[in-house]
Amino acid sequence: MKKFILLTILVIYSIGQVEAQSWKCPENIRIPEFKSSDCFFLKAPLNYDSDNTEKIDLFVRKFPAKRKRKGSIWLIPGGPGESGATLYPLINQFSELFPHMDIFIPDHRGTGYSSKICPKEEVVDSPGGMALSNDEWGPCFDYMYSNPNYAKAFTITNAAKDLSLLINELSGQGERYIYGVSYGTQLVLRLLQLGTTNLDAVILDSLVPLQDDEKYDLSRRSFITNEVGLSFLQKFDETFPNHISIREQLKNVIERAEKDQEFANQLPKQDLTILFGMMLDIPYVRNKIPEIIKSLNKGDFKPLQNSIAKITSFYQEYGANYQSSPNSIPLTQIITASENNLRPDITKANVAQESRELLFKSPLPNLIAENTMPTYKRDNYFGKIPKQMPPTLILHGNLDPKTHIEGARKHYKVLKQENPSISFIEINSAPHFIALFAPNVFRKAVREFIRKKSIEDQTMNEKTLSFK
């Protein structure tokens, strides 16, 4: 971080009342896709709704338009603990799709190079880099509880107001588009609730459920994962009907893992149901689930081991080139506990009991149970929808194990009542994150939508997602 701060300032200028600093970007020489990018730090209020004069830094990376500029598009990452680095691997894809647009990718407050909840422990030159190492958790907790007003300022609404400030100050002339994925869709919708930013089009990838939808709440993620997993197995059974039900075979494997110690000793230490749940996130691993189940029934552990290696490799390699890629767990926990967990009193024992019979599970409910981090009070924007929206495209996979398609459809229908210029595209067999895992459908749908500022509701197919 010291080397980064000492890098030469290229330009310092004022835009309205906000001071923006343009820096020589970190990592530009080392990373090819960064070579043309510009970077900015803007000062923003720690808390927009108080007399507090404390400021924080917001980091934004800009990729200039490849052709004659016509406007800008803002790419909003998920999380809430993810930085803009999660979208850097897709920059060439977005540059091809929007060649006439400047592309801006911000780091949410609390992530990446923007100000962190734990300023000493979540920075590049700390022992664990931007990720917290084991001996950094204690000091990080101490800082949060010693500075509660600071920690509690890292809210969704303040992050949305950050976005409004950034977009209004840096976009320049021309059309303004915005893309959000996962939690990024929630943040974009909160931005639209504010009504302080003019946008010409919105793209929502893997739409989160309504904030007060108890059925699809984060504390019930394992039920969502299980339903999607069973839907996948049913699709397989329908495609290949002349075999013993793959669902029954999985049930037998899990029961054997609980009762047969010799069999269990050859399995990974991780809960088998959680491993199968994780496989649903990555299509080329997910499509191997039937083979893995059949092999385990025969006592062959190699396909399972290969799939675990692929999962590990995916998460280690995706975004690994970027120093700012580690998620901020403190930010994730604070936002989740404050307004994205409708059952804040649930215990880890409750989670274990209610998910006992599931064949596919998520680790998330157990991780967010019994929160010990500071929380903030929900504000007037909680659970509400924007009153006015520009033309909006929603893309959602019908095998999304994180944000269930029925939760997305319900959210879409509520939004549509007040905002008729919204379209919903369902992608067959797609998981979470359409831009990454169904790029051909994403490109086709977005191009038509941007050209016409509308597109008919429909179901589309991505050939690479089908299993053979």
Side-chain angles (χ1 to χ4, degrees), residues 79 115 165 187 196 299 308 326 350 361 379 413 422:
S115 293
L165 181 149
L187 186 53
T196 55
I308 293 172
N350 296 149
K361 297 177 187 175
D379 58 32
K413 289 176 182 177
I422 302 180

Side-chain angles (χ1 to χ4, degrees), residues 56-85:
I56 61 170
D57 290 319
L58 300 176
F59 176 81
V60 182
R61 189 180 290 271
K62 172 187 173 183
F63 297 86
K66 297 291 185 181
R67 300 179 188 173
K68 184 177 179 181
R69 185 188 176 280
K70 295 182 180 179
S72 61
I73 180 169
W74 289 75
L75 309 185
I76 311 305
E82 294 178 7
S83 71

Side-chain angles (χ1 to χ4, degrees), residues 201-446:
V202 173
I203 301 166
L204 302 177
D205 182 340
S206 305
L207 178 65
V208 297
L210 289 161
Q211 202 169 22
D212 56 359
D213 189 336
E214 293 184 358
K215 183 176 181 180
Y216 299 108
D217 178 54
L218 292 183
S219 69
R220 302 180 190 273
R221 172 65 65 78
S222 283
F223 293 98
I224 296 167
T225 301
N226 187 62
E227 187 174 335
V228 170
L230 296 182
S231 294
F232 172 76
L233 297 186
Q234 183 178 344
K235 282 177 179 282
F236 182 84
D237 282 337
E238 291 171 352
T239 306
F240 306 101
N242 298 319
H243 64 84
I244 300 172
S245 164
I246 203 70
R247 174 176 178 171
E248 289 303 313
Q249 290 188 57
L250 175 57
K251 188 176 180 181
N252 292 338
V253 166
I254 292 172
E255 289 178 352
R256 185 178 177 187
E258 294 172 351
K259 298 175 181 179
D260 185 339
Q261 191 59 50
E262 184 178 349
F263 180 77
N265 287 341
Q266 299 181 74
L267 294 170
K269 293 182 180 180
Q270 177 71 291
D271 186 327
L272 199 56
T273 58
I274 288 179
L275 286 174
F276 277 108
M278 293 174 64
M279 293 177 195
L280 297 172
D281 292 328
I282 308 172
Y284 57 83
V285 178
R286 178 198 64 193
N287 291 350
K288 294 291 184 181
I289 288 177
E291 176 189 341
I292 296 167
I293 294 170
K294 292 177 182 179
S295 298
L296 288 175
N297 267 301
K298 297 175 183 178
D300 181 1
F301 300 88
K302 189 171 182 180
L304 174 63
Q305 294 164 352
N306 289 340
S307 290
I308 293 172
K310 289 179 180 178
I311 294 171
T312 302
S313 176
F314 173 82
Y315 285 110
Q316 286 180 342
E317 294 176 8
Y318 187 85
N321 284 338
Y322 318 118
Q323 292 179 329
S324 58
S325 64
N327 287 5
S328 172
I329 295 177
L331 178 66
T332 301
Q333 290 282 45
I334 287 176
I335 288 179
T336 300
S338 299
E339 55 181 315
N340 280 343
N341 180 2
L342 298 179
R343 299 192 293 170
D345 297 328
I346 195 170
T347 66
K348 294 182 185 297
N350 296 149
V351 170
Q353 177 60 30
E354 69 179 18
S355 63
R356 189 166 54 88
E357 301 297 326
L358 303 182
L359 302 183
F360 296 84
K361 297 177 187 175
S362 165
L364 184 60
N366 190 63
L367 292 173
I368 67 177
E370 302 176 12
N371 173 68
T372 57
M373 294 192 184
T375 57
Y376 57 83
K377 292 183 180 180
R378 296 171 180 174
D379 58 32
N380 292 332
Y381 297 104
F382 174 82
K384 295 183 174 63
I385 64 170
K387 293 181 179 179
Q388 290 186 324
M389 295 177 65
T392 298
L393 173 65
I394 300 170
L395 302 111
H396 209 97
N398 61 19
L399 285 180
D400 186 334
K402 289 186 167 70
T403 52
H404 197 283
I405 190 164
E406 292 305 325
R409 281 200 190 102
K410 183 177 177 181
H411 196 170
Y412 157 66
K413 289 176 182 177
V414 173
L415 291 170
K416 185 91 169 177
Q417 290 173 3
E418 299 289 335
N419 304 280
S421 59
I422 302 180
S423 304
F424 190 96
I425 303 295
E426 175 181 339
I427 299 92
N428 269 328
S429 299
H432 202 66
F433 203 168
I434 301 304
L436 175 61
F437 290 117
N440 297 317
V441 163
F442 183 81
R443 187 181 303 111
K444 181 179 179 181
V446 169

